[in-house]
Short mmCIF file of all heavy atoms in Angstrom, two decimals:
data_model
loop_
_atom_site.label_atom_id
_atom_site.label_comp_id
_atom_site.label_asym_id
_atom_site.label_seq_id
_atom_site.Cartn_x
_atom_site.Cartn_y
_atom_site.Cartn_z
N GLN S 40 85.33 86.49 111.36
CA GLN S 40 85.09 86.12 112.76
C GLN S 40 83.75 86.64 113.25
O GLN S 40 83.43 86.52 114.42
CB GLN S 40 86.22 86.66 113.63
CG GLN S 40 87.54 85.95 113.36
CD GLN S 40 88.69 86.66 114.03
OE1 GLN S 40 88.81 86.66 115.24
NE2 GLN S 40 89.52 87.31 113.23
N ARG S 41 83.01 87.20 112.34
CA ARG S 41 81.67 87.73 112.62
C ARG S 41 81.69 88.82 113.68
O ARG S 41 80.76 88.99 114.44
CB ARG S 41 80.71 86.58 112.99
CG ARG S 41 80.63 85.55 111.86
CD ARG S 41 79.47 84.62 112.00
NE ARG S 41 79.15 84.02 110.70
CZ ARG S 41 78.14 83.20 110.49
NH1 ARG S 41 77.32 82.90 111.48
NH2 ARG S 41 77.91 82.69 109.30
N LEU S 42 82.80 89.55 113.72
CA LEU S 42 82.88 90.71 114.59
C LEU S 42 82.34 91.93 113.85
O LEU S 42 82.13 92.98 114.45
CB LEU S 42 84.33 90.95 115.02
CG LEU S 42 84.94 89.81 115.85
CD1 LEU S 42 86.44 90.01 116.04
CD2 LEU S 42 84.24 89.70 117.21
N ALA S 43 82.19 91.80 112.55
CA ALA S 43 81.57 92.87 111.76
C ALA S 43 80.62 92.20 110.78
O ALA S 43 80.93 91.13 110.26
CB ALA S 43 82.62 93.67 111.00
N ALA S 44 79.47 92.79 110.57
CA ALA S 44 78.49 92.20 109.65
C ALA S 44 77.81 93.31 108.86
O ALA S 44 76.62 93.58 109.03
CB ALA S 44 77.47 91.38 110.42
N PRO S 45 78.57 94.00 108.00
CA PRO S 45 77.99 95.08 107.22
C PRO S 45 76.99 94.54 106.20
O PRO S 45 77.09 93.39 105.78
CB PRO S 45 79.19 95.70 106.51
CG PRO S 45 80.19 94.61 106.44
CD PRO S 45 79.98 93.77 107.66
N ALA S 46 76.03 95.38 105.82
CA ALA S 46 75.04 94.97 104.81
C ALA S 46 75.61 95.17 103.41
O ALA S 46 75.30 94.43 102.49
CB ALA S 46 73.77 95.78 104.97
N ASP S 47 76.45 96.22 103.28
CA ASP S 47 77.03 96.53 101.97
C ASP S 47 78.53 96.74 102.11
O ASP S 47 78.97 97.53 102.94
CB ASP S 47 76.40 97.81 101.41
CG ASP S 47 74.93 97.63 101.09
OD1 ASP S 47 74.10 97.78 102.01
OD2 ASP S 47 74.63 97.32 99.92
N VAL S 48 79.29 96.03 101.29
CA VAL S 48 80.74 96.22 101.26
C VAL S 48 81.07 96.97 99.98
O VAL S 48 80.73 96.53 98.88
CB VAL S 48 81.47 94.87 101.31
CG1 VAL S 48 82.96 95.05 101.04
CG2 VAL S 48 81.24 94.19 102.66
N ILE S 49 81.69 98.13 100.15
CA ILE S 49 82.00 98.98 99.00
C ILE S 49 83.51 98.93 98.77
O ILE S 49 84.29 99.52 99.51
CB ILE S 49 81.52 100.42 99.26
CG1 ILE S 49 80.02 100.41 99.58
CG2 ILE S 49 81.83 101.32 98.06
CD1 ILE S 49 79.51 101.68 100.22
N ASP S 50 83.89 98.16 97.76
CA ASP S 50 85.30 97.90 97.46
C ASP S 50 85.88 99.11 96.71
O ASP S 50 85.40 99.47 95.64
CB ASP S 50 85.38 96.64 96.59
CG ASP S 50 86.79 96.22 96.27
OD1 ASP S 50 87.74 96.98 96.58
OD2 ASP S 50 86.96 95.13 95.70
N LEU S 51 86.93 99.71 97.29
CA LEU S 51 87.50 100.93 96.69
C LEU S 51 88.56 100.63 95.63
O LEU S 51 89.16 101.54 95.06
CB LEU S 51 88.10 101.82 97.79
CG LEU S 51 87.12 102.25 98.90
CD1 LEU S 51 87.85 103.08 99.95
CD2 LEU S 51 85.96 103.05 98.32
N SER S 52 88.79 99.33 95.35
CA SER S 52 89.91 98.99 94.46
C SER S 52 89.67 99.42 93.01
O SER S 52 90.61 99.46 92.22
CB SER S 52 90.19 97.49 94.52
OG SER S 52 89.09 96.76 94.01
N GLY S 53 88.44 99.75 92.67
CA GLY S 53 88.18 100.14 91.29
C GLY S 53 88.36 101.62 91.02
O GLY S 53 88.18 102.08 89.89
N ILE S 54 88.73 102.39 92.06
CA ILE S 54 88.85 103.84 91.88
C ILE S 54 90.31 104.19 91.60
O ILE S 54 91.14 104.24 92.51
CB ILE S 54 88.33 104.59 93.12
CG1 ILE S 54 86.90 104.14 93.45
CG2 ILE S 54 88.38 106.10 92.91
CD1 ILE S 54 86.34 104.73 94.72
N GLU S 55 90.62 104.40 90.33
CA GLU S 55 92.03 104.53 89.95
C GLU S 55 92.71 105.75 90.56
O GLU S 55 93.91 105.73 90.84
CB GLU S 55 92.15 104.58 88.43
CG GLU S 55 92.13 103.18 87.82
CD GLU S 55 92.22 103.22 86.31
OE1 GLU S 55 92.77 104.20 85.78
OE2 GLU S 55 91.73 102.27 85.69
N SER S 56 91.93 106.83 90.79
CA SER S 56 92.55 108.06 91.27
C SER S 56 93.12 107.90 92.68
O SER S 56 93.85 108.76 93.17
CB SER S 56 91.53 109.19 91.25
OG SER S 56 90.47 108.89 92.15
N LEU S 57 92.81 106.78 93.35
CA LEU S 57 93.28 106.61 94.73
C LEU S 57 94.69 106.02 94.79
O LEU S 57 95.26 105.89 95.87
CB LEU S 57 92.32 105.70 95.51
CG LEU S 57 90.93 106.26 95.81
CD1 LEU S 57 90.09 105.24 96.56
CD2 LEU S 57 91.03 107.55 96.61
N THR S 58 95.24 105.62 93.66
CA THR S 58 96.54 104.95 93.67
C THR S 58 97.61 105.84 93.06
O THR S 58 97.34 106.55 92.11
CB THR S 58 96.45 103.62 92.88
OG1 THR S 58 95.35 102.89 93.39
CG2 THR S 58 97.71 102.79 93.06
N GLY S 59 98.80 105.78 93.64
CA GLY S 59 99.93 106.48 93.03
C GLY S 59 100.70 107.34 94.01
O GLY S 59 100.21 107.69 95.08
N ILE S 60 101.93 107.67 93.61
CA ILE S 60 102.83 108.45 94.46
C ILE S 60 103.37 109.59 93.62
O ILE S 60 103.81 109.38 92.48
CB ILE S 60 103.99 107.56 94.97
CG1 ILE S 60 103.43 106.42 95.84
CG2 ILE S 60 105.01 108.39 95.74
CD1 ILE S 60 104.43 105.38 96.26
N SER S 61 103.31 110.81 94.16
CA SER S 61 103.82 111.94 93.37
C SER S 61 104.56 112.92 94.27
O SER S 61 104.31 112.99 95.48
CB SER S 61 102.66 112.65 92.68
OG SER S 61 101.77 113.16 93.65
N VAL S 62 105.46 113.68 93.66
CA VAL S 62 106.23 114.67 94.39
C VAL S 62 105.94 116.03 93.78
O VAL S 62 105.96 116.19 92.55
CB VAL S 62 107.74 114.38 94.28
CG1 VAL S 62 108.55 115.46 94.99
CG2 VAL S 62 108.07 113.02 94.86
N LYS S 63 105.63 117.00 94.65
CA LYS S 63 105.38 118.35 94.16
C LYS S 63 106.05 119.31 95.15
O LYS S 63 105.65 119.34 96.33
CB LYS S 63 103.86 118.59 94.10
CG LYS S 63 103.46 119.60 93.05
CD LYS S 63 101.95 119.64 92.95
CE LYS S 63 101.48 120.53 91.81
NZ LYS S 63 100.03 120.63 91.78
N GLY S 64 107.07 120.02 94.71
CA GLY S 64 107.78 120.92 95.61
C GLY S 64 108.38 120.14 96.77
O GLY S 64 109.07 119.13 96.56
N ASP S 65 108.09 120.59 98.00
CA ASP S 65 108.67 119.89 99.15
C ASP S 65 107.67 118.93 99.80
O ASP S 65 107.81 118.59 100.97
CB ASP S 65 109.19 120.91 100.18
CG ASP S 65 108.08 121.83 100.65
OD1 ASP S 65 106.98 121.77 100.09
OD2 ASP S 65 108.33 122.61 101.60
N LYS S 66 106.67 118.50 99.03
CA LYS S 66 105.69 117.55 99.55
C LYS S 66 105.66 116.28 98.71
O LYS S 66 105.79 116.33 97.49
CB LYS S 66 104.27 118.16 99.53
CG LYS S 66 104.13 119.47 100.27
CD LYS S 66 104.07 119.26 101.76
CE LYS S 66 103.80 120.58 102.47
NZ LYS S 66 103.95 120.47 103.92
N LEU S 67 105.49 115.16 99.40
CA LEU S 67 105.32 113.88 98.72
C LEU S 67 103.92 113.39 99.05
O LEU S 67 103.52 113.35 100.21
CB LEU S 67 106.37 112.89 99.20
CG LEU S 67 106.34 111.51 98.56
CD1 LEU S 67 107.77 111.04 98.27
CD2 LEU S 67 105.67 110.47 99.45
N THR S 68 103.17 113.02 98.01
CA THR S 68 101.78 112.62 98.22
C THR S 68 101.58 111.17 97.79
O THR S 68 102.02 110.77 96.71
CB THR S 68 100.84 113.54 97.42
OG1 THR S 68 101.05 114.88 97.87
CG2 THR S 68 99.38 113.18 97.66
N ILE S 69 100.94 110.42 98.67
CA ILE S 69 100.70 109.00 98.41
C ILE S 69 99.19 108.77 98.36
O ILE S 69 98.48 109.10 99.30
CB ILE S 69 101.33 108.12 99.51
CG1 ILE S 69 102.84 108.38 99.59
CG2 ILE S 69 101.06 106.64 99.24
CD1 ILE S 69 103.56 107.55 100.63
N GLY S 70 98.72 108.19 97.26
CA GLY S 70 97.30 107.86 97.13
C GLY S 70 96.90 106.84 98.17
O GLY S 70 97.69 105.95 98.53
N ALA S 71 95.66 106.94 98.66
CA ALA S 71 95.24 106.11 99.78
C ALA S 71 95.27 104.62 99.47
O ALA S 71 95.52 103.80 100.34
CB ALA S 71 93.84 106.52 100.23
N PHE S 72 95.01 104.26 98.20
CA PHE S 72 94.95 102.83 97.88
C PHE S 72 96.33 102.26 97.53
O PHE S 72 96.46 101.13 97.09
CB PHE S 72 93.96 102.57 96.73
CG PHE S 72 93.40 101.17 96.76
CD1 PHE S 72 92.34 100.85 97.58
CD2 PHE S 72 93.98 100.16 96.02
CE1 PHE S 72 91.85 99.55 97.64
CE2 PHE S 72 93.50 98.86 96.07
CZ PHE S 72 92.43 98.56 96.89
N THR S 73 97.39 103.03 97.72
CA THR S 73 98.75 102.55 97.44
C THR S 73 99.15 101.49 98.47
O THR S 73 98.99 101.70 99.67
CB THR S 73 99.73 103.72 97.47
OG1 THR S 73 99.22 104.75 96.62
CG2 THR S 73 101.10 103.30 97.00
N THR S 74 99.65 100.36 97.99
CA THR S 74 100.00 99.28 98.92
C THR S 74 101.32 99.57 99.63
O THR S 74 102.14 100.37 99.18
CB THR S 74 100.16 97.94 98.18
OG1 THR S 74 101.23 98.07 97.24
CG2 THR S 74 98.88 97.53 97.47
#
Side-chain angles (χ1 to χ4, degrees):
Chain S
Q40 291 169 70
R41 301 195 159 183
L42 297 171
D47 294 84
V48 171
I49 304 163
D50 183 352
L51 302 178
S52 65
I54 306 175
E55 278 179 26
S56 63
L57 292 179
T58 308
I60 298 172
S61 62
V62 178
K63 208 173 186 184
D65 59 352
K66 304 283 185 189
L67 181 138
T68 301
I69 302 180
F72 205 83
T73 308
T74 62

